[in-house]
């Protein structure tokens, strides 16, 4: 009969082949975490010591050597595209960033997304450290966006570059076909997505240089809507067109391909609107430079290198923006301050040749306050005087603001008053905006002109009266001076006469005494 009792020989069970406790072979969860934390802390400490003891240039060479060694054995080749080539922006970097923005896909782990108010769609860019794979003629190309920070003399600067990796046997294809394809594609993308921008200086400095910050330029001003004399408008357009088509001519005569314009006249005469019209006409970006933010000539040079071609550099109200030291009064360490010489070299010197197809515009309300050295040809090639509103400018403004395409019954009277008063286009525009009804707006503007004429006449009479009073005052002073001189002369004559009489009496008495003495002796 079989027994159902449990066997006393437990060693016969297959599970008895393992130890009673797994801890003798596998550590517990807490122990594994402790070991991992210890190893991580050690690695971080070693990394910190490595970064502190070995300067960044040497670390870069070490990493580059290790990477090159790895690539040598792996059969890969790497191309590095830095953001800057020395102190000048690297065009290949900008083209690569634009090209890769069209290659992002949902599989990319981290992207930067943006959209301006009037943009039709979203804009995507690779974020720091992200990778993307491209294909060209059946060849796989791997990109990576690398960013890191470098501290130089207490200033932390962000460095960026793109790293491209591919098989060595495809090197000729990449360098002679693929990279030129990236540059050409970026140019086509930029032309399709071309959005005019206005650039200004950021509020903070990045390392040793200011950074340009931009926003979409949406100024509606065009030459068609600009309230300018037709002859002046035609002259400006012809001059711009001549400049744009003469690239080879500038190269032939040995001059930088740039053009300088000085816009001067009373406030409100349309200087800023003319700059915007030029930008819209040429499809050029605007760089608005405020000199009061620039501390030295070296800062000015760095900013020039960051300005792209096909752009308009504007320095508004240059007569009152900043007081520049005279060229003859430069102190020691002049590179640490902004000087007139630095500005002149910026406008028309060796540094001005670092770029093509640029327009420099200076504006001022007081041309006579500017240094003549800033105004000579080659620096400011064309001086454009923007004056008060005339009849033609008024008709343009009336068409823009009120939709008047032809004549109006009050235009004749308005023309008479415009010729006799000083009114800027900005003042005209403000008056025309006061009512949507055409007749009411035109009548209101005519009343404004009449009132303005009365005020100017009164002011002119007051000025004339002041001149007359000043003249009379001067004449009275002169007359008073002459009277004082006459009185002084009379007093002198009376005094002299009295002295002569006294002297005559004294002589007479002496003569009488001598006669008496002589008679007594006889």
């Amino acid at each position: 009969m079989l027994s159902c009792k449990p066997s006393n020989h437990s060693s016969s069970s297959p599970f008895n082949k393992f130890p009673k406790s797994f801890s003798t072979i596998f550590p517990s969860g807490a122990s594994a975490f402790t070991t991992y934390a210890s190893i991580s802390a050690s690695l971080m400490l070693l990394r910190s010591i490595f970064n502190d003891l070995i300067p960044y240039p040497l670390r870069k060479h070490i990493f580059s050597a290790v990477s090159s060694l790895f690539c040598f054995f792996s059969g890969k080749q790497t191309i590095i595209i830095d953001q800057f080539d020395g102190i000048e922006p690297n065009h290949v970097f900008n083209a690569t960033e634009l090209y890769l923005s069209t290659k992002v896909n949902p599989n990319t782990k981290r992207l930067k997304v943006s959209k301006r108010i009037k943009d039709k769609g979203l804009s995507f860019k690779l974020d720091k450290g992200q990778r993307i794979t491209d294909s060209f003629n059946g060849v796989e190309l791997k990109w990576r966006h690398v960013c890191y920070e470098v501290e130089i003399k207490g200033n932390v600067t962000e460095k960026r570059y793109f790293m491209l990796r591919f098989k060595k046997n495809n090197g000729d294809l990449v360098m002679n076909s693929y990279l030129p394809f990236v540059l050409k594609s970026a140019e086509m993308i930029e032309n399709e997505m071309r959005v005019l921008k206005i650039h200004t200086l950021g509020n903070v400095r990045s390392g040793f240089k200011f950074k340009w910050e931009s926003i979409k330029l949406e100024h509606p001003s065009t030459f068609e809507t600009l309230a300018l004399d037709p002859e002046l408008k035609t002259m400006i357009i012809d001059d711009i067109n001549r400049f744009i088509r003469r690239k080879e001519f500038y190269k032939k005569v040995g001059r930088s391909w740039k053009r300088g314009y000085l816009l001067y006249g009373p406030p409100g005469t349309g200087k800023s609107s003319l700059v915007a019209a030029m930008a819209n006409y040429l499809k050029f970006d605007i760089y608005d430079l405020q000199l009061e933010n620039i501390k030295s000539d070296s800062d000015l040079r760095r900013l020039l290198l960051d300005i792209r071609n096909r752009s308009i550099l504007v320095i508004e109200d240059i007569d009152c923006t900043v007081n520049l030291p005279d060229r003859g009064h430069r102190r020691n360490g002049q590179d640490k301050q902004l000087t007139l010489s630095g500005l002149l070299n910026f406008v028309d010197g060796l540094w001005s040749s670092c770029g093509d197809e640029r327009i420099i515009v200076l504006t001022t309300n007081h041309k006579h306050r500017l240094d003549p050295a800033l105004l000579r040809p080659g620096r400011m090639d064309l001086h454009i005087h923007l004056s008060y509103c005339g009849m033609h400018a008024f008709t343009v403004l009336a068409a823009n603001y009120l939709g008047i395409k032809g004549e109006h019954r009050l235009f004749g009277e308005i023309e008479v008053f415009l010729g006799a008063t000083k009114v800027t286009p900005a003042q005209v525009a403000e008056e025309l905006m006061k009512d949507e009804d055409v007749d009411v707006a035109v009548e209101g503007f005519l009343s404004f002109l009449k009132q303005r004429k009365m005020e100017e006449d009164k002011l002119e009479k007051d000025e004339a009266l002041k001149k007359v009073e000043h003249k009379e005052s001067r004449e009275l002073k002169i007359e008073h001076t002459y009277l004082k001189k006459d009185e002084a002369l009379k007093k002198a004559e009376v005094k002299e006469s009295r002295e002569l009489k006294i002297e005559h009496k004294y002589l007479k008495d002496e003569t009488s005494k001598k006669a008496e003495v002589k008679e007594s002796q006889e």
Side-chain angles (χ1 to χ4, degrees):
M1 192 173 177
L2 296 176
S3 173
C4 295
K5 292 182 180 179
S7 174
N8 293 326
H9 302 285
S10 60
S11 60
S12 63
S13 172
F15 293 101
N16 291 331
K17 295 179 180 180
F18 293 96
K20 293 183 179 180
S21 176
F22 283 91
S23 61
T24 59
I25 296 179
F26 299 104
S28 65
S31 176
F33 179 78
T34 303
T35 304
Y36 172 77
S38 177
I39 294 173
S40 299
S42 300
L43 290 175
M44 291 180 66
L45 179 61
L46 289 174
R47 180 186 176 186
S48 177
I49 295 173
F50 182 75
N51 290 339
D52 290 340
L53 295 180
I54 301 178
Y56 168 74
L58 182 58
R59 294 201 310 270
K60 186 176 181 181
H61 286 303
I62 293 173
F63 291 144
S64 178
V66 172
S67 178
S68 299
L69 187 64
F70 176 78
C71 289
F72 177 79
F73 287 106
S74 65
K76 299 285 186 179
Q77 188 171 352
T78 302
I79 292 179
I80 301 297
I81 304 174
D82 286 318
Q83 185 179 9
F84 290 94
D85 181 13
I87 59 175
E88 186 175 359
N90 186 356
H91 175 61
V92 182
F93 178 91
N94 296 329
T96 301
E97 186 174 38
L98 182 58
Y99 171 75
L100 292 180
S101 68
T102 65
K103 298 296 180 179
V104 297
N105 56 70
N107 296 325
T108 307
K109 293 182 179 179
R110 197 164 62 246
L111 295 172
K112 294 172 66 176
V113 60
S114 63
K115 182 183 182 301
R116 299 182 181 90
I117 294 176
K118 293 190 176 181
D119 286 349
K120 295 180 179 179
L122 300 175
S123 175
F124 296 94
K125 289 184 179 179
L126 285 180
D127 198 9
K128 302 176 182 178
Q130 294 304 293
R131 305 169 188 264
I132 197 168
T133 301
D134 193 18
S135 178
F136 181 76
N137 290 350
V139 175
E140 186 179 67
L141 303 136
K142 295 185 177 181
W143 289 94
R144 184 185 177 193
H145 184 205
V146 182
C147 301
Y148 59 94
E149 291 184 346
V150 178
E151 184 174 348
I152 304 176
K153 296 182 180 180
N155 294 302
V156 178
T157 303
E158 184 183 67
K159 300 288 186 180
R160 301 168 59 201
Y161 66 87
F162 283 104
M163 183 168 65
L164 172 62
R165 297 191 65 194
F166 50 89
K167 290 183 178 180
K168 282 184 179 180
N169 57 358
N170 294 319
D172 184 68
L173 176 70
V174 170
M175 289 183 279
N176 296 323
S177 299
Y178 177 63
L179 290 180
F181 168 75
V182 170
L183 293 174
K184 187 66 177 177
S185 299
E187 183 180 353
M188 294 174 62
I189 295 168
E190 187 174 13
N191 290 334
E192 291 176 2
M193 301 171 56
R194 180 66 173 168
V195 175
L196 295 185
K197 296 180 180 179
I198 181 169
H199 304 256
T200 187
L201 295 181
N203 294 324
V204 295
R205 296 180 65 171
S206 175
F208 293 103
K209 54 181 281 186
F210 288 95
K211 288 186 64 176
W212 289 106
E213 295 180 350
S214 64
I215 190 172
K216 187 175 180 180
L217 177 65
E218 297 180 322
H219 201 295
S221 179
T222 64
F223 279 111
E224 288 74 20
T225 61
L226 207 59
L228 279 181
D229 180 80
E231 293 182 0
L232 178 61
K233 186 184 299 186
T234 302
M235 184 267 290
I236 295 172
I237 295 174
D238 289 345
D239 189 83
I240 290 174
N241 290 334
R242 189 183 308 112
F243 164 71
I244 294 300
R245 67 173 180 261
R246 299 182 84 182
K247 178 180 180 179
E248 294 302 323
F249 172 79
Y250 277 83
K251 183 178 180 180
K252 176 183 175 182
V253 299
R255 291 187 59 175
S256 300
W257 192 18
K258 65 175 186 60
R259 189 74 171 160
Y261 295 96
L262 175 70
L263 310 183
Y264 67 98
T269 51
K271 294 184 284 292
S272 298
S273 296
L274 177 56
V275 173
M278 293 168 68
N280 288 325
Y281 180 76
L282 296 170
K283 303 301 180 186
F284 280 16
D285 282 0
I286 294 176
Y287 286 81
D288 182 22
L289 179 61
Q290 301 90 26
L291 289 181
E292 63 268 19
N293 295 332
I294 310 303
K295 304 303 180 184
S296 66
D297 290 346
S298 58
D299 285 338
L300 198 61
R301 289 194 292 269
R302 291 188 184 100
L303 287 171
L304 175 63
L305 293 175
D306 284 343
I307 296 177
R308 295 189 176 186
N309 296 337
R310 296 181 60 82
S311 60
I312 300 176
L313 173 66
V314 182
I315 306 177
E316 293 192 285
D317 298 322
I318 190 171
D319 57 294
C320 58
T321 297
V322 66
N323 294 320
L324 299 178
D326 189 15
R327 285 170 294 165
H329 294 83
R330 299 184 74 177
R331 302 185 296 272
N332 293 331
Q334 64 257 14
D335 202 49
K336 295 182 179 180
Q337 63 173 334
L338 180 61
T339 63
L340 179 60
S341 294
L343 180 61
L344 295 178
N345 190 38
F346 181 82
V347 173
D348 179 39
L350 294 176
W351 288 90
S352 68
S353 62
C354 300
D356 283 332
E357 208 170 1
R358 291 179 180 171
I359 291 176
I360 301 175
V361 178
L362 306 183
T363 73
T364 178
N365 298 332
H366 309 283
K367 180 182 176 182
H368 63 278
R369 295 181 183 176
L370 301 181
D371 192 302
L374 193 61
L375 304 180
R376 71 166 177 79
R379 288 171 179 158
M380 292 296 103
D381 304 290
L382 187 61
H383 298 191
I384 302 173
H385 181 225
L386 301 177
S387 188
Y388 295 102
C389 185
M391 189 59 195
H392 176 80
F394 170 74
T395 56
V396 173
L397 292 171
N400 293 342
Y401 288 88
L402 301 176
I404 303 176
K405 301 300 181 181
E407 288 292 324
H408 189 276
R409 57 184 176 83
L410 297 178
F411 276 11
E413 195 173 356
I414 286 175
E415 184 175 6
V416 174
F417 279 97
L418 279 176
T421 57
K422 295 179 179 179
V423 181
T424 66
Q427 291 172 316
V428 175
E430 184 63 28
E431 291 298 319
L432 295 180
M433 290 175 63
K434 289 184 176 181
D435 203 294
E436 297 179 359
D437 185 276
V438 174
D439 292 332
V440 174
V442 174
E443 290 172 0
F445 178 65
L446 179 58
S447 299
F448 166 77
L449 288 178
K450 291 179 178 179
Q451 180 65 29
R452 184 85 176 183
K453 183 67 170 63
M454 291 174 59
E455 293 174 357
E456 289 183 1
D457 289 345
K458 184 177 182 303
L459 184 63
E460 187 177 348
K461 289 179 180 179
D462 292 342
E463 289 293 329
L465 183 60
K466 286 181 180 179
K467 288 182 180 179
V468 171
E469 291 176 349
H470 180 65
K471 183 179 179 180
E472 291 178 351
S473 176
R474 287 186 61 191
E475 290 175 350
L476 287 173
K477 286 182 179 179
I478 293 171
E479 184 178 354
H480 181 66
T481 301
Y482 278 121
L483 288 174
K484 288 181 69 175
K485 287 182 178 178
D486 290 342
E487 290 179 1
L489 184 61
K490 288 180 180 179
K491 288 180 179 179
E493 290 175 351
V494 170
K495 182 179 180 181
E496 186 177 355
S497 176
R498 289 179 62 188
E499 290 176 350
L500 288 173
K501 287 181 180 180
I502 292 172
E503 185 178 357
H504 180 70
K505 183 179 180 183
Y506 173 77
L507 291 173
K508 187 177 180 181
D509 292 342
E510 287 295 320
T511 303
S512 179
K513 287 181 180 179
K514 287 180 180 179
E516 289 177 357
V517 170
K518 186 176 180 181
E519 288 179 358
S520 174
Q521 289 178 351
E522 290 178 352

